[in-house]
Amino acid sequence: MNKARRKGNNMNKVILTDADGVLLNWEYAFTCWMEQHGHTQVENANFLYNIGQRFGLESNNMGHRLVKQFNESAAIGFLPALRDAVYYVKRLHEEHGYTFRCITSLSLDKNAYKLRKMNLEKLFGETAFEELVCLGTGADKDEALEQYRDSGLYWIEDKLSNAVCGQDLGLKAILIEHGFNMNDELPEGMIKVVNWKGIYDHVVANEA
């Protein structure tokens, strides 16, 4: 993730991506952590995006605080990959020459950044991700995506509002399906996939 090597890269071979719920199985790891701290999910929790509702907490603010606490804990450096992400990210990188820039609303904590960087490099190798941008916990991504306006780059997300933000800025948004977004109505031009094979097939089929 050396910014110095970004300048020579072919921008047509750059893919922008979120981390949690896209590359990493944050949902599973967070649920395990919450259970260790005495919290239990409500019935059909996987269909709920809001953490406060998912765990029946007293307030959404409490949910946000717990997410921030988890994201700044040592556990954040050891999240498992989501589904088939490792296999197909590596194929896109090693066989087709794509590099990735990760924009994640993790935390502004410097140690959280280092742990996320370590986690991504351990799973995907040290060369696949040329940049990691960590925003505040739950932060919007419009400013981070603004520099890519009208670039036509792929933007991989699991939160519909963030995917729409990217599409409105002229990116090619792809939504990763989860229980909480499976019934969302997509805007025209956006596609939804269940795994990285779907992303891989779409990207390779539409290579210039």
Side-chain angles (χ1 to χ4, degrees):
M1 300 176 192
N2 185 347
K3 292 184 179 180
R5 73 180 177 211
R6 291 174 54 195
K7 297 179 180 178
N9 285 350
N10 178 0
M11 282 297 291
N12 293 327
K13 288 286 187 174
V14 170
I15 294 175
L16 307 176
T17 178
D18 181 26
D20 299 312
V22 174
L23 298 165
L24 304 171
N25 197 342
W26 182 92
E27 185 176 348
Y28 168 78
F30 179 73
T31 299
C32 292
W33 183 84
M34 286 288 280
E35 290 175 349
Q36 291 168 5
H37 287 76
H39 299 280
T40 304
Q41 292 191 102
V42 302
E43 188 175 355
N44 296 320
N46 60 307
F47 295 104
L48 300 171
Y49 182 82
N50 183 282
I51 293 301
Q53 296 174 2
R54 178 174 284 215
F55 286 90
L57 303 176
E58 294 179 0
S59 68
N60 292 334
N61 287 338
M62 184 178 179
H64 178 80
R65 288 197 302 271
L66 287 167
V67 169
K68 188 173 187 294
Q69 183 180 343
F70 173 73
N71 285 358
E72 295 176 356
S73 73
I76 205 65
F78 302 92
L79 271 57
L82 183 76
R83 303 170 192 165
D84 57 354
V86 169
Y87 179 74
Y88 285 103
V89 165
K90 286 186 173 181
R91 285 194 67 183
L92 285 167
H93 177 55
E94 297 170 2
E95 298 177 15
H96 297 272
Y98 287 92
T99 54
F100 297 81
R101 298 183 186 179
C102 181
I103 302 172
T104 172
S105 300
L106 176 72
S107 169
L108 297 177
D109 182 83
K110 292 181 179 179
N111 289 322
Y113 172 92
K114 292 176 182 178
L115 287 167
R116 172 128 298 175
K117 180 175 182 291
M118 179 192 77
N119 198 180
L120 291 174
E121 290 183 348
K122 182 178 180 180
L123 291 172
F124 300 99
E126 296 185 0
T127 59
F129 288 86
E130 63 179 29
E131 185 175 19
L132 170 63
V133 175
C134 287
L135 308 174
T137 306
D140 293 333
K141 299 179 178 177
D142 48 341
E143 290 186 14
L145 293 173
E146 176 63 37
Q147 65 177 303
Y148 301 106
R149 178 185 286 272
D150 297 328
S151 63
L153 297 179
Y154 286 105
W155 168 228
I156 319 299
E157 254 287 355
D158 68 319
K159 185 177 180 181
L160 181 60
S161 61
N162 286 335
V164 169
C165 174
Q167 180 164 292
D168 289 345
L169 289 170
L171 304 177
K172 291 180 285 192
I174 299 178
L175 192 72
I176 293 275
E177 184 174 284
H178 290 271
F180 57 78
N181 68 23
M182 62 187 305
N183 295 317
D184 289 346
E185 185 175 344
L186 303 188
E188 184 177 355
M190 187 182 297
I191 67 170
K192 183 189 291 183
V193 297
V194 297
N195 52 32
W196 272 85
K197 183 182 186 302
I199 296 170
Y200 175 87
D201 290 344
H202 180 78
V203 170
V204 171
N206 288 280
E207 283 184 321

